[in-house]
Amino acid sequence: MTVPCDPTHHVRPAHALGDERGARLEPISATRENAWSLEAGPGSVAQARALVRDAVVGWGLSELADEAVLIVSELCTNAVRHGRPPVTLVLRASGRCLGGEVADRGESFAIPRPRASDEDEAGRGLQIVEHLTDEWGVDSGVHGVGKAVWWRKCR
């Protein structure tokens, strides 16, 4: 299910204010950051998974790699399926905290379903994101265009 972008649906915590690029991770005070622009095509989610795994392992945060890859995979899948290009992926880390965002120019975002049935082929992605992250949310995109789904996970 998608609805017009409403940044108040998942209100971000007040301490998670972002910078001018729309990143919502100020508390992390990123000491490491990577940003990628992804093609909105069939191979883009696999590309995002590989980029995230390489970055997280390279930053010495191997214990967060599997969860980060799954989070980004779900968010990129939503951006490719329901959003509009370009799709941008940002990954940041500081200390034992990792976070990121996936942005696109689409005007809608998916609302987490209360529970997908066993027969449903889709509808679990944002539930997975909610379960794996310490916090996440949706904000309007840069300059009010599109949306950015951000997340944060600390060890």
Side-chain angles (χ1 to χ4, degrees), residues 13-59:
H15 65 276
L17 298 174
D19 63 20
E20 69 280 358
R21 288 172 294 164
R24 313 302 186 244
L25 303 170
E26 185 175 84
I28 289 182
S29 288
T31 57
R32 296 155 296 208
E33 177 179 304
N34 284 341
W36 303 276
S37 182
L38 305 171
E39 295 292 325
S44 60
V45 176
Q47 177 189 16
R49 287 191 295 261
L51 292 167
V52 167
R53 182 169 304 281
D54 289 348
V56 172
V57 169
W59 292 341

Side-chain angles (χ1 to χ4, degrees), residues 23-147:
R24 313 302 186 244
L25 303 170
E26 185 175 84
I28 289 182
S29 288
T31 57
R32 296 155 296 208
E33 177 179 304
N34 284 341
W36 303 276
S37 182
L38 305 171
E39 295 292 325
S44 60
V45 176
Q47 177 189 16
R49 287 191 295 261
L51 292 167
V52 167
R53 182 169 304 281
D54 289 348
V56 172
V57 169
W59 292 341
L61 296 171
S62 298
E63 71 276 9
L64 293 173
D66 289 339
E67 290 173 336
V69 166
L70 184 52
I71 293 163
V72 167
S73 180
E74 295 299 333
L75 296 180
C76 284
T77 297
N78 283 350
V80 169
R81 290 182 73 190
H82 306 293
R84 286 195 345 233
V87 174
T88 307
L89 168 61
V90 177
L91 190 66
R92 290 183 172 166
S94 182
R96 306 313 291 169
C97 290
L98 183 66
E101 71 176 47
V102 176
D104 68 71
R105 293 191 174 258
E107 295 179 7
S108 63
F109 66 96
I111 295 175
R113 292 183 186 177
R115 178 169 160 77
S117 75
D118 291 341
E119 292 80 34
D120 289 340
E121 293 184 19
R124 294 170 183 81
L126 292 178
Q127 291 175 351
I128 292 169
V129 170
E130 187 159 332
H131 178 75
L132 292 177
T133 60
D134 294 328
E135 55 189 347
W136 73 280
V138 180
D139 284 330
S140 293
V142 178
H143 308 294
V145 177
K147 67 191 169 295

